[in-house]
């Protein structure tokens, strides 16, 4: 089947091409992001393969459906960038990769915690500069600290497991408690209780209308003063402007983010030769207790291999007219 692969980077080309050996689809790699303006590039392709910052809104979906696309294969787990209602009305099939490596994301969240706590970024630069002083690098033991996990699905569960291994007291909030987490001793609490109690809060829930700005000015005011906030899930879960204020007052003591509310026009590209116009990310970067990575939590060999394999399976199932195992059903998830 002819597939237009949007937002294709060299690593996408490498892993998708390797996984395609057993499937023999005709993959056409396009560097462009899929937006209403670039939708014409999908003309004549029955399938489109898209990534997280592709704009799968009503306008794009309408345009690609009109030019013959029937399947959208997301090489991601999250699908908050897809208008599921529009896709359903246009009879477009949407598939995703629900699980590729929960370890990749959970381990990255832990990496951010360690970096912020032990100030590894500063320590690395200091030593490179022959400055061997320790002032300003004081951290705290993770052992015995309280970690609050919001969302205990596949990634949250692994994160709980790792933090339990560190000897942390792990609390969680999730409308659907996970039996595996209960078994490892995780205590479920209400959201306000978790926010008020945890030294470290890590977000692992999806972005949906109900979770948009889950951490806003109001909820942030309940945090234990000086708490650490980690977000490897989706930028829209936190209100960036409210977070900036909370960092300035000291309500947030440390912030580690792999995702950013306005990442769509920034991440996955090199802007180092231009002046970035996004004032919020520039403000965040000015704080010495903030660490930002550019949506790389998923970026491991294992994850990319699994993403590519699952995507090929979906393309082949669709081409053969079989039920797509990884299809997103609008009735199941509502409007994302
Ligand atoms: P999952 O679907 O296995 O787990 C999500 C959990 O969130 C479920 O247990 C669900 O009950 C819970 N949840 C739903 N609504 C909630 C709410 N209002 N409050 C608290 N919890 C709620 O998803 P998985 O695989 O664990 O992924 C979680 C998120 O991680 C994804 O939605 C995606 O946004 C993000 N992600 C980020 C990546 C990165 O590279 N930074 C890569 C992959 C996923």
């Amino acid at each position: 089947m002819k597939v237009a692969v949007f937002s294709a980077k060299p690593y996408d080309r490498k892993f998708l091409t390797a996984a395609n050996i057993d499937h023999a689809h005709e993959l056409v790699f396009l560097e462009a992001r899929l937006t209403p303006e670039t939708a014409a590039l999908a003309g004549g392709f029955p399938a489109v393969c898209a990534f997280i910052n592709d704009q799968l809104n009503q306008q794009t979906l309408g345009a690609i459906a009109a030019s013959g696309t029937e399947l959208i294969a997301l090489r991601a787990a999250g699908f908050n960038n897809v208008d599921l209602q529009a896709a359903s009305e246009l009879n477009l099939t949407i598939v995703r990769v629900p699980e590729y490596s929960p370890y990749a994301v959970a381990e990255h969240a832990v990496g951010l915690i360690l970096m912020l706590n032990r100030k590894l970024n500063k320590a690395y630069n200091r030593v490179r500069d022959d400055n061997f002083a320790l002032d300003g690098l004081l951290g705290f033991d993770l052992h015995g600290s309280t970690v609050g996990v919001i969302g205990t699905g596949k990634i949250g569960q692994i994160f709980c497991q790792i933090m339990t291994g560190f000897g942390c007291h792990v609390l969680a909030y999730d409308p659907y408690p996970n039996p595996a987490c209960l078994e490892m001793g995780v205590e479920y609490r209400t959201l306000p209780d978790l926010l008020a109690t945890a030294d470290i809060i890590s977000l692992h829930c999806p972005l949906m209308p109900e979770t948009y700005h889950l951490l806003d000015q109001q909820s942030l005011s309940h945090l234990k003063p000086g708490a650490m906030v980690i977000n490897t899930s989706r930028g829209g879960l936190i209100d960036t402007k409210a977070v900036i204020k909370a960092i300035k007052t000291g309500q947030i003591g440390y912030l580690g983010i792999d995702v950013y509310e306005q990442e769509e026009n920034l991440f996955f590209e090199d802007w180092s030769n231009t002046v970035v116009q996004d004032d919020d990310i520039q403000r965040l970067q000015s704080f010495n207790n903030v660490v930002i990575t550019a949506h790389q939590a998923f970026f491991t060999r294992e994850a990319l291999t699994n993403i590519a394999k699952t995507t090929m399976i979906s393309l082949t199932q669709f081409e053969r007219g079989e039920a797509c195992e990884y299809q997103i059903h609008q009735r199941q998830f509502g409007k994302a």
Side-chain angles (χ1 to χ4, degrees):
M1 185 162 52
K2 268 183 81 180
V3 188
V5 184
F6 280 86
S7 301
K9 298 288 181 199
Y11 44 85
D12 294 310
R13 189 183 286 266
K14 177 177 162 190
F15 284 89
L16 288 168
T17 303
N20 192 30
I21 288 172
D22 298 333
H23 295 264
H25 295 295
E26 192 186 326
L27 306 180
V28 175
F29 294 97
L30 303 164
E31 279 178 32
R33 256 193 323 135
L34 179 53
T35 64
E37 291 73 36
T38 62
L41 296 171
F45 286 88
V48 154
C49 181
F51 197 47
I52 48 179
N53 288 331
D54 288 317
Q55 288 174 10
L56 296 160
N57 54 23
Q58 191 171 22
Q59 214 185 332
T60 308
L61 296 178
I64 63 173
S67 65
T69 297
E70 295 168 38
L71 173 73
I72 296 173
L74 299 172
R75 39 184 204 283
F79 50 90
N80 51 287
N81 55 331
V82 187
D83 185 334
L84 291 182
Q85 177 75 40
S88 161
E89 283 163 13
L90 292 161
N91 212 18
L92 283 164
T93 301
I94 315 281
V95 293
R96 64 174 179 143
V97 184
E99 181 172 359
Y100 43 87
S101 171
Y103 303 100
V105 183
E107 288 170 10
H108 191 78
V110 177
L112 291 174
I113 293 173
L114 291 169
M115 184 172 243
L116 283 163
N117 176 18
R118 307 306 294 268
K119 301 168 178 61
L120 299 177
N121 47 339
K122 283 188 209 171
Y124 174 80
N125 286 322
R126 258 190 207 188
V127 172
R128 300 270 301 180
D129 207 20
D130 292 338
N131 175 355
F132 304 104
L134 297 184
D135 312 80
L137 299 182
L138 192 67
F140 61 91
D141 282 6
L142 286 177
H143 179 92
S145 63
T146 301
V147 177
V149 186
I150 302 182
T152 51
K154 292 178 281 297
I155 296 170
Q157 178 186 325
I158 303 300
F159 179 78
C160 288
Q161 224 168 312
I162 300 173
M163 298 323 287
T164 304
F166 271 108
C168 298
H169 178 204
V170 183
L171 308 178
Y173 168 72
D174 191 313
Y176 305 96
N178 177 338
C181 291
L182 286 167
E183 204 166 308
M184 68 179 94
V186 171
E187 281 177 42
Y188 281 86
R189 298 277 178 91
T190 62
L191 185 58
D193 190 13
L194 178 145
L195 294 178
T197 320
D199 302 302
I200 300 169
I201 288 156
S202 195
L203 301 174
H204 298 288
C205 59
L207 176 61
M208 306 179 292
E210 310 86 74
T211 57
Y212 176 71
H213 284 185
L214 186 83
L215 295 187
D216 59 8
Q217 194 172 349
Q218 211 256 335
S219 55
L220 288 170
S221 69
H222 297 300
L223 289 191
K224 195 165 166 179
M228 183 187 292
V229 172
I230 302 292
N231 186 8
T232 55
S233 232
R234 284 294 181 264
L237 294 174
I238 62 182
D239 175 348
T240 311
K241 291 198 188 318
V243 160
I244 290 172
K245 277 192 195 152
I247 294 169
K248 286 169 76 177
T249 62
Q251 191 76 27
I252 291 180
Y254 316 75
L255 176 74
I257 55 173
D258 183 54
V259 286
Y260 171 61
E261 225 180 334
Q262 285 105 245
E263 71 176 54
E264 190 181 310
N265 296 318
L266 280 179
F267 284 13
F268 307 116
E269 303 300 334
D270 178 3
W271 300 106
S272 59
N273 283 322
T274 57
V275 175
V276 168
Q277 299 296 322
D278 185 318
D279 291 348
D280 289 343
I281 197 145
Q282 299 298 56
R283 185 72 184 99
L284 284 175
Q285 299 217 64
S286 73
F287 296 119
N288 58 16
N289 54 353
V290 172
V291 169
I292 304 172
T293 53
H295 214 133
Q296 69 170 86
F298 74 100
F299 201 54
T300 66
R301 267 196 312 271
E302 292 74 8
L304 291 192
T305 303
N306 292 336
I307 289 171
K309 278 187 184 165
T310 305
T311 301
M312 291 305 145
I313 290 171
S314 293
L315 292 170
T316 301
Q317 285 174 338
F318 185 82
E319 188 179 35
R320 290 181 181 157
E322 296 168 5
C324 291
E325 201 175 336
Y326 305 109
Q327 182 171 355
I328 302 172
H329 294 283
Q330 204 232 334
R331 62 180 181 282
Q332 195 179 343
F333 291 103
K335 193 175 186 300

